[in-house]
Amino acid sequence: MNLKTKLSTTFILLTFFLFLNPTYVSARELPSGGEMLLDMAIARPMGLASFALGLGVFVAASPFTLASGTFKSSAKRLVVYPAKFTFVRGLGDFPGYMEEYEVVEE
């Protein structure tokens, strides 16, 4: 068997395995109209307020965070995550917008 045949066979077997084994295939639920309404009426305005407040606090605290070496982590927590919550995620889509959290144990 040549390399092309081996790769094709592997690809076909892998594809069948993924489609026949439901643990590897996950369906994403679409948000309901109520979730979208609550997101637009409550969560987005609160996200915008927390983004503005976080930006203000970040600007005020940036000299201290530069001195302590926590500039990037404070920027992520105070500005980037509220911005992602408010402007990037889909309407009514709450889980997984901050999957980049890192647990730091001291």
Side-chain angles (χ1 to χ4, degrees):
M1 264 204 302
N2 62 9
L3 182 62
K4 188 175 180 182
T5 307
K6 286 180 183 179
L7 288 175
S8 298
T9 306
T10 305
F11 177 74
I12 290 171
L13 289 175
L14 184 61
T15 304
F16 281 128
F17 176 72
L18 289 176
F19 283 116
L20 294 177
N21 191 353
T23 59
Y24 288 104
V25 179
S26 64
R28 229 179 121 178
E29 286 188 31
L30 295 174
S32 68
E35 289 172 331
M36 289 182 174
L37 180 65
L38 288 175
D39 186 11
M40 193 65 198
I42 297 171
R44 296 288 170 140
M46 288 178 63
L48 185 61
S50 61
F51 171 70
L53 181 64
L55 184 62
V57 169
F58 173 71
V59 169
S62 61
F64 305 108
T65 59
L66 278 171
S68 66
T70 58
F71 186 80
K72 277 187 169 182
S73 63
S74 63
K76 280 185 180 179
R77 300 286 183 198
L78 295 173
V79 180
V80 174
Y81 289 146
K84 282 184 177 182
F85 180 83
T86 306
F87 302 114
V88 176
R89 68 182 173 83
L91 190 62
D93 184 23
F94 289 104
Y97 68 93
M98 291 192 304
E99 291 175 351
E100 299 172 14
Y101 271 133
E102 296 176 16
V103 178
V104 178
E105 295 180 17
E106 295 179 19

